[in-house]
Amino acid sequence: MRITALAGGVGGARFLRGLLHHLERTGDTDAELTIIGNTGDDITLFGLRVCPDLDTLLYTLGGAVHEGQGWGRADESHHVAEELVALGAQPTWFSLGDKDFATHIYRSQLLGQGMPLSAVTTHLAARWGLPDRRVTLLPMTDTPVETHVVVEQGGGPEAIHFQQWWVRHQAALPAERFVVAGLDRATPAPGVLDALRTADVVLLPPSNPVVSIGIILTVPGVRDALRGARAPVVGVSPLVGGRPVRGHADVCLETIGVASTSEAVAGLYADFLDGWLVDETDPMAGRTRPVVLARPLLMSSVGTAADIAGAALGLGRRLAAKGTPA
Ligand code: FO1
């Protein structure tokens, strides 16, 4: 079975770690997973290219993530960052650990030699044993793209980098809209459209529907490939009780004028979504278009994430057996 998933950072990575756990515990060793990761969060810092969502996926699936944070490496030190502060280097609001720095140095070295991000990511994925688990990680595009947030700073609207808004301002700076710099030149990375077209099931983890999944969907060709996919597309709502379990998805939804409800989020995917997992408390429970499955959605451990991922995959299999989409 070929499974393709779109993913942002922490929520996507935890869900997909759960999916691999589910496949391993059910003995489903033939399954192949292709992950299309968001690169809109990418940023160049200290001359180094940092890809937070791809790295969060690599570290989480590779068993090396800092569990408390959900991003960065476990057992980190911060000597380089301390020295950068002593030197007066900016910015100081984005925390990079020493082991994490090595990833960015190596990535930047390979990119500087002309290697596309997708090939660089293949090298990094090998470091974390992903091929041994039949997992392929693809960036959504090899074209450098960066999500910016248009904010009102007093002197009129100003576009700041997504990370500055998300990390430095904790999404508390009122945002007018999101813009993706570089999108006009972007094409899907090699393998992205094929992975969508040839999948048996496409999964949308509970990633941010605006600045993670929403950005992947803006890459030319991706949305059309999902609409034309022969496989059922099954998503997991990122909202429990109208609020994201972590992160600022509610603020992002408000910024684009969409209500913080599972129904409204499903509406963002309405042209290709076949199945939708919502929390057991969600008012959408019982709906049939898309086919809604209601169950507990809190990923409090690898085991509960595996249960949720298993339920999403099971719904996908049932829809495929029924011949959905028509
Ligand atoms: N998130 C934070 O809230 N603060 C940080 O200082 C921070 C640093 C960081 C470094 C590397 C990395 O891969 C991720 C990092 N994140 C940090 C997470 C990240 O900025 C966001 O959670 C995602 O971009 C949103 O998906």
Side-chain angles (χ1 to χ4, degrees), residues 8-10 38 41-42 50-53 55-56 59 69-72 93-97 100 104 162-163 166-168 170 208 211-212 246:
V10 182
N38 172 41
D41 291 17
D42 294 6
V50 180
C51 300
D53 285 358
D55 291 343
T56 298
Y59 298 158
Q69 289 172 170
W71 48 268
W93 48 262
F94 200 75
S95 166
L96 293 172
D100 196 24
H104 314 315
F162 169 75
Q163 294 294 352
W166 185 269
V167 171
R168 187 179 188 186
Q170 292 292 301
N208 189 307
V211 294
S212 296
R246 58 172 290 146

Side-chain angles (χ1 to χ4, degrees), residues 14 21 37 47 49 58 65 80 88 93 100 112 139 163 231 242 247 255 279 286 295 297 300 304 312-313 325:
R14 286 183 173 162
H21 190 73
R49 194 65 176 156
L58 289 168
V65 78
V80 174
W93 48 262
D100 196 24
Q163 294 294 352
T255 302
D279 189 68
R295 65 168 336 280
L297 281 193
S300 46
T304 52
L313 190 60

Side-chain angles (χ1 to χ4, degrees), residues 34 36 116-119 122 136-143 187-195:
T34 301
I36 301 169
L117 181 62
S118 51
T122 301
T136 303
L137 176 61
L138 303 173
M140 63 186 197
T141 178
D142 277 335
T143 313
T187 52
V192 164
L193 297 184
D194 265 1

Side-chain angles (χ1 to χ4, degrees), residues 196-212:
L196 294 169
R197 289 184 189 129
T198 62
D200 297 307
V201 176
V202 178
L203 297 178
L204 306 184
S207 291
N208 189 307
V210 183
V211 294
S212 296

Side-chain angles (χ1 to χ4, degrees), residues 18-42:
L19 178 65
L20 293 182
H21 190 73
H22 167 79
L23 293 170
E24 280 154 22
R25 76 184 178 189
T26 53
D28 203 339
T29 46
D30 284 345
E32 289 171 25
L33 172 64
T34 301
I35 306 166
I36 301 169
N38 172 41
T39 58
D41 291 17
D42 294 6

